[in-house]
Amino acid sequence: MLHHIIKIIRAERRANLWIWLEMLVVCGLLWFVTDYAVTALRAWTRPLNYDIEHVYRITLATVQKDKDGKWKERSADQGKTMMQTLDLIAAYPGVEAACLQQWGGHYSSSSSNSSFQLDTVSLINVEDRMVSPDYFRVFRVYGADGSSPEEMAERFGKLHMNDLQRDYYLSRNALDYVEKVNGEGRESDRRYIGMSDSINYNMVSVVDGVQSEKSIRYNQTLRGLIPDQPKNEAESTGYVSLKPITEEYISQNELISYSVYLRVSPEADTPDFKEQFVKRMKAVTKDDTYPVLTMNAVSEDRAGILADPVRQINNHLAIGFFLLLNIFLGIVGTFWVRTEQRRAEVGIRRVVGSTNRSVFSLMFGEGIILMTLAFLPAAVAAWYVMFHTDLCDIKVFPLGRGRLLLGLGCTYLQMLLMVFLGTFIPVLRALRVPPTEAIRSE
């Protein structure tokens, strides 16, 4: 059968050449559209490893005016004031947990990056997140080893954050990179827990208008691992470190980019919860606490951050769908016309003893071979585009053989479906024509 199909293709090589060229172009375009769609699907379906449902973000009025209308200077009690405010929020009816966070965060546009040294490997552009222990309970973050949020919060509360010792948690993918550089397997990660590197830096502080500077040398030690945490669905999965935020740390630093996150029980999270909460907080705020400035659901932050990426993806997918529809109609139409023109041949083959199954296998086999001959050079072009150009998105789906093979596999299946539809229906109609009519037509 295969030898016979090849002979037929060679005999019709002039007509088949145009079909081959058409399918070559179509395979390349279809692969590019498919790769983009697969990348977008992966971005929106990958695990984020945190939960924002029933979670709110609060901004506090940490900079206030005194009775004379002048801005208050930073005080040594600001750490205590911040913690008292956090306790007040956590005690509100219906609040399951509340945490404090500085810099970055989920669905936030701000971030703070630093570098780490593990063994002989340097990790750069690691996103620093200063958080209080209940961060794990608020966002329901589990440990990389499967530890519950409560267990993670309890262990995190015992970490140090002072001028001599600073402990931190690190995301799983950062340690994977270290182990990859060292040529070790994932089971070796235990030997990195407790590993320290020494940091020197000059700390500049201003108290009552007087600037002072002191040199600090401290050890930062890896104490635990968390799962990979993309900042949002549209961003790449970077390295993340979590460091404990303490009253002492808050007192020694500027009150910049602090937010309070709280998780509300589903029963208490009613449509008027936000309004009632803000109203109640204004009523109970005292001099030893910071007033609530703004309050937003993290789901609202998510909608704002993802508005532009979602609009861009929708536009691209709409263009891709239109292109895919034209490709589908073009390929199906090409094989439809090609098969319709051979209705007489189908009838004659039936006269000489061919079965319906053998006739369909012959026609469909020709289409598969033509498609495969066009698909192979298109696959080489796809490899070149992916690994030697900047046309493919690498934010959420790293380049690799797996991604290339997935895209090519989906492309081949789509082309196979088009060839099948363009062959099956015309052949079925031709098989319904009585052989005598087909011979008369011939």
Side-chain angles (χ1 to χ4, degrees):
M1 174 69 78
L2 180 61
H3 181 67
H4 182 56
I5 293 175
I6 293 176
K7 287 180 64 177
I8 295 175
I9 292 176
R10 290 182 59 187
E12 300 290 336
R13 56 183 175 273
R14 184 168 296 180
N16 288 332
L17 177 61
W18 293 106
I19 297 177
W20 180 84
L21 289 174
E22 178 188 1
M23 299 187 75
L24 175 63
V25 175
V26 164
C27 282
L29 292 175
L30 188 57
W31 168 80
F32 190 79
V33 172
T34 301
D35 180 75
Y36 184 86
V38 168
T39 302
L41 180 64
R42 177 185 174 91
W44 255 253
T45 57
R46 59 180 171 161
L48 299 178
N49 296 313
Y50 52 83
D51 180 14
I52 64 169
E53 189 175 6
H54 306 298
V55 176
Y56 290 85
R57 176 180 57 83
I58 294 175
T59 303
L60 301 174
T62 54
V63 180
Q64 304 176 56
K65 293 182 178 181
D66 56 21
K67 296 180 180 179
D68 298 328
K70 297 181 180 180
W71 295 108
K72 293 182 179 180
E73 296 288 340
R74 190 182 73 185
S75 67
D77 295 332
Q78 63 186 22
K80 180 180 179 181
T81 303
M82 183 66 77
M83 290 304 177
Q84 288 175 342
T85 306
L86 183 63
D87 293 339
L88 180 64
I89 293 173
Y92 186 87
V95 174
E96 295 182 348
C99 72
L100 186 64
Q101 181 166 332
Q102 183 188 33
W103 302 117
H106 311 300
Y107 304 104
S108 170
S109 57
S110 66
S111 64
S112 175
N113 296 333
S114 63
S115 300
F116 292 85
Q117 184 83 18
L118 274 178
D119 203 1
T120 58
V121 181
S122 295
L123 294 170
I124 59 176
N125 292 328
V126 180
E127 183 185 354
D128 269 338
R129 296 178 187 170
M130 305 290 298
V131 298
S132 61
D134 271 347
Y135 162 84
F136 297 93
R137 295 179 58 209
V138 170
F139 290 100
R140 293 181 177 171
V141 176
Y142 288 77
D145 58 355
S147 299
S148 68
E150 289 73 20
E151 293 172 333
M152 294 293 290
E154 182 180 358
R155 293 202 294 263
F156 194 79
K158 299 177 181 179
L159 301 188
H160 297 91
M161 185 64 182
N162 52 53
D163 290 348
L164 299 178
Q165 178 67 39
R166 299 188 177 184
D167 302 329
Y168 65 95
Y169 282 3
L170 197 61
S171 58
R172 171 76 258 183
N173 59 343
L175 200 57
D176 286 344
Y177 172 76
V178 173
E179 293 174 347
K180 180 180 178 182
V181 172
N182 287 337
E184 298 171 340
R186 174 169 288 192
E187 63 276 359
S188 65
D189 60 6
R190 293 182 182 85
R191 84 178 186 89
Y192 293 97
I193 304 298
M195 186 172 288
S196 302
D197 64 317
S198 184
I199 302 296
N200 288 304
Y201 82 102
N202 293 328
M203 181 177 178
V204 179
S205 59
V206 179
V207 179
D208 296 330
V210 179
Q211 178 174 312
S212 62
E213 181 177 346
K214 62 178 179 178
S215 179
I216 295 178
R217 179 184 181 88
Y218 64 88
N219 291 325
Q220 56 180 12
T221 306
L222 175 62
R223 295 298 184 185
L225 297 175
I226 60 172
D228 302 345
Q229 286 193 351
K231 199 165 186 177
N232 57 64
E233 288 86 344
E235 294 291 335
S236 59
T237 306
Y239 304 146
V240 175
S241 71
L242 297 181
K243 296 178 179 178
I245 192 167
T246 62
E247 182 178 320
E248 178 185 4
Y249 172 84
I250 298 172
S251 298
Q252 294 177 349
N253 293 274
E254 296 289 341
L255 291 174
I256 300 175
S257 192
Y258 281 95
S259 295
V260 174
Y261 290 88
L262 63 148
R263 170 170 290 280
V264 182
S265 64
E267 298 78 17
D269 194 10
T270 57
D272 62 342
F273 173 82
K274 176 179 172 181
E275 179 182 354
Q276 295 295 330
F277 179 88
V278 174
K279 183 178 179 180
R280 177 62 178 168
M281 285 295 106
K282 288 182 179 180
V284 300
T285 298
K286 302 177 182 178
D287 292 338
D288 57 352
T289 58
Y290 292 118
V292 173
L293 189 61
T294 62
M295 181 178 184
N296 291 301
V298 179
S299 58
E300 296 174 355
D301 295 340
R302 178 181 182 273
I305 289 292
L306 296 181
D308 287 338
V310 167
R311 189 181 303 112
Q312 184 179 16
I313 289 175
N314 288 339
N315 291 338
H316 289 172
L317 289 179
I319 295 173
F321 177 78
F322 178 76
L323 181 61
L324 182 61
L325 181 62
N326 282 272
I327 289 173
F328 178 81
L329 295 176
I331 293 298
V332 171
T334 297
F335 278 89
W336 191 297
V337 172
R338 181 173 181 269
T339 307
E340 283 285 345
Q341 291 174 346
R342 300 170 66 181
R343 290 181 66 177
E345 177 188 339
V346 172
I348 293 174
R349 288 186 179 278
R350 291 180 64 199
V351 170
V352 298
S354 296
T355 63
N356 292 350
R357 182 175 181 180
S358 63
V359 171
F360 175 76
S361 298
L362 178 70
M363 297 294 181
F364 187 49
E366 287 184 43
I368 292 178
I369 292 178
L370 280 173
M371 181 194 70
T372 303
L373 291 175
F375 181 81
L376 292 176
V380 175
W383 170 83
Y384 181 83
V385 169
M386 176 168 286
F387 294 104
H388 295 87
T389 69
D390 297 328
L391 297 177
C392 294
D393 187 2
I394 60 174
K395 277 188 176 181
V396 299
F397 201 165
L399 302 180
R401 287 180 296 177
R403 174 176 172 178
L404 177 63
L405 293 176
L406 178 60
L408 291 175
C410 292
T411 301
Y412 191 87
L413 291 176
Q414 292 176 81
M415 292 295 297
L416 196 65
L417 176 62
M418 296 177 193
V419 172
F420 175 81
L421 292 177
T423 305
F424 177 74
I425 299 178
V427 169
L428 188 62
R429 293 179 59 188
L431 290 174
R432 291 174 179 174
V433 177
T436 54
E437 291 187 19
I439 294 174
R440 187 180 304 114
S441 174
E442 183 65 18

